[in-house]
Amino acid sequence: MGMEYSEREVDILVVGGGTAGPMAAIRAKETNPRLNVMLIEKANVKRSGAISMGMDGLNNAVIPGHATPEQYVREITIANDGIVNQQAILAYASNSFQMIQRLDKWGVKFEKDETGEFAVKKVHHLGNYVLPMPEGHNVKKILYRLLKKNRVDVTNRYKVTRVAVGKNHRVSGVMAVDTRTAEIVFIKAKSVIICTGAAGRLGLPSSGYLFGTYENPTNAGDGYAMAYHAGAELSGIECFQINPLIKDYNGPACAYVTGPLGGYTANAHGERFIECDYWSGQMMLEFFRELEGGNGPVFLKVNHLAEETISTIENILHTNERPSRGRFHKGRGTNYRDDMIEMHISEIGLCSGHSASGIWVNERAETTIPGLYAAGDVACVPHNYMLGAFVYGEIAGLEAVKYCEDMRGEETDKEFMVRESERILRPLKRKSGITPYQAEYKIRRLVNDYLQPPKVTRKMELGLRRFSEVRDDLEGLWADGPHNLLRAMEVHDILDCAEMAAVSSLYRTESRWGLYHYRVDYPEKDDDWLCHVQLYKDGEGRMVCKKIPVEPYIFEPDAGEIQAYERLRIVTKDMV
Amino acid sequence: MATASMSVKVPVSVDADKCIASKGCTVCVDVCPLDVLVIDMNNGVALMQYDECWYCTPCEVDCPTHALTVDIPYLVK
Ligand SMILES: Cc1cc2nc3c(=O)[nH]c(=O)nc-3n(C[C@H](O)[C@H](O)[C@H](O)COP(=O)(O)OP(=O)(O)OC[C@H]3O[C@@H](n4cnc5c(N)ncnc54)[C@H](O)[C@@H]3O)c2cc1C
Ligand code: SF4
Ligand code: SF4
């Protein structure tokens, strides 16, 4: 077989141009303009990623006068049930304010009060961290302008499939495929930064529509699979992402916007049942109980608010982030003034932006492979959200610059390139077979059947068996052209993520993080499991896990604060 | 192995009178994160080719002539 791929070479390669990726590329180039920095993106950087239509607020801003880094580190330590590397959270918290100032200077619009100060709101259990962005729809435009200004090499419509590692166990480049022509390229790089977002196409939404996910469905879990196959460690995979969303629409309602204006999550009687709307596993467990119990379903209630407040809410929710919310409500005849909005829980996903599943990184965004960095939803820094993606994008960009300044690139095995290009092209070479749509539907339906919490040991074991049968079926996967080849490659990523989710969930024999890891056979939290679970590929190519201790805390959370999160349910008269 | 194709109603519609794809516009095709839009060369109009839509609306918002409308996909509606 002849050469089926071309080759290119750069210094720093950023994979994924959503939120963290553009920041990494811009800051790397600003720091050392002589370096050749490429941003490679599956979609188009102009409108890609979770923030393609902007955002309606920062969920976790640490702004002097409202919160301190120490407070924030303690809050997230508790929200993530003790399993955090506090150094990594602290690096975020300490850089949060300078990043907000940087974005503000670049022209991103945050809400300010009459005196020109940032108008921070309280949504979390303990501290004040939410900074609204009612005019946040232009974030991507601003990032795009800076990418152009700094001469970042933007390469759109390529799906990166694998990260290559050289003989000295350092990163050496990536394989990627053009999603419109199916041409394959090997890009040699001294340093690679993975910013590919969440594993958003893991569970099947209850609508049955594969692309009606909470996350932007371009994020199929590619980065998790790439890191795994390259030999990096992942962590907290068993801490699933599950969100409270508008039923069927499957987007946020969004309590962080409505909460500070007087809206709240209510049961069928219109009563509050949780103390605080900040998304955590503990909150989701209460949500799940209410939904399944006699008081369900669950609603977002704003119909008691004044007309002026409701118009403000509509204006924010229907122009930012997920703007088609408005037309969905209209189609169903739902009006915020009269009706409560029916809510539901999302399909499962992997996402450190909202919970904790990700590629293992330290406070310098380094993975366990030298030269390989990760930032944003795909990197394990719990509850990082959008500002965390920006902060860690910056950290990764700056660290990558330092790393490659005195580095010569690693060589990659030709055999790796040949093998990978053959793997990519296989579905195109068939004349018929299982379509990516069928394979994806089946895997994601199995994920719902066997992995959706409450987690049951026997079910997860069966799930693993079914996944391995589907893996055999994928030998017959067929793509009729480049677009379906992209989907076929994603099917492999989705299956890898499903297997990771099952393996790490089975490994942790306790319950933790509320609904995210609620194991019916091990219903209690167990202090023996106050540790990270690392998932990786062993020498024989098997998917395995190991425990590593939680690093000593810098700030010890106090008992009263811990109880606050454990007591999220409002104590009603009949419960006392 | 035999295969069959199945028709579905797609969420994106394009007003052929307003669309200027025949003059070279490809804005909606360029911005769509799921890459599901194409230009129908025969008619010079944008078209949704795959029912894989996040109802996210950049295609509609960025269209220079307001030719394109995103509806909520039928299964989600
Ligand atoms: C609906 C929604 C609402 C949210 N609301 C808020 C909020 O109000 N406040 C807040 O702070 N946070 C919010 N978040 C979270 C926040 O948006 C994310 O944490 C953050 O944007 C993640 O950034 P990222 O760079 O990791 O991922 P993304 O921005 O999703 O970028 C990932 C990019 O990688 C690309 N990619 C994926 N795979 C590949 C591949 N194989 N090759 C090349 N490119 C690839 C994708 O196309 C995408 O552009 C919300 C998220 C969602 C989905
Ligand atoms: S709504 Fe979003 S996913 Fe659907 S066609 Fe438009 S840009 Fe593409
Ligand atoms: S952006 Fe509008 S005018 Fe341009 S091709 Fe698309 S539908 Fe036609």
Side-chain angles (χ1 to χ4, degrees), chain A residues 480-515:
Chain A
D480 59 1
H483 182 82
N484 275 321
L485 181 64
L486 161 67
R487 297 287 176 248
M489 288 294 107
E490 291 171 339
V491 164
H492 288 282
D493 299 335
I494 295 168
L495 184 58
D496 286 341
C497 288
E499 224 177 281
M500 289 190 233
V503 167
S504 57
S505 294
L506 279 166
Y507 186 77
R508 184 182 280 278
T509 49
E510 64 150 359
S511 286
R512 195 173 287 268
W513 305 294
L515 188 61

Side-chain angles (χ1 to χ4, degrees), chain A residues 18-20 41-42 48 50 55 57 59 160 219 222 321 377 386:
Chain A
T19 314
E41 163 60 48
K42 190 196 271 184
S48 60
M55 266 297 122
N59 289 350
V160 173
N219 301 336
D222 315 36
E321 195 182 277
D377 285 350
M386 176 173 58

Side-chain angles (χ1 to χ4, degrees), chain A residues 512-524:
Chain A
R512 195 173 287 268
W513 305 294
L515 188 61
Y516 299 164
H517 185 65
Y518 175 36
R519 280 193 75 170
V520 183
D521 322 74
Y522 303 93
E524 301 300 324

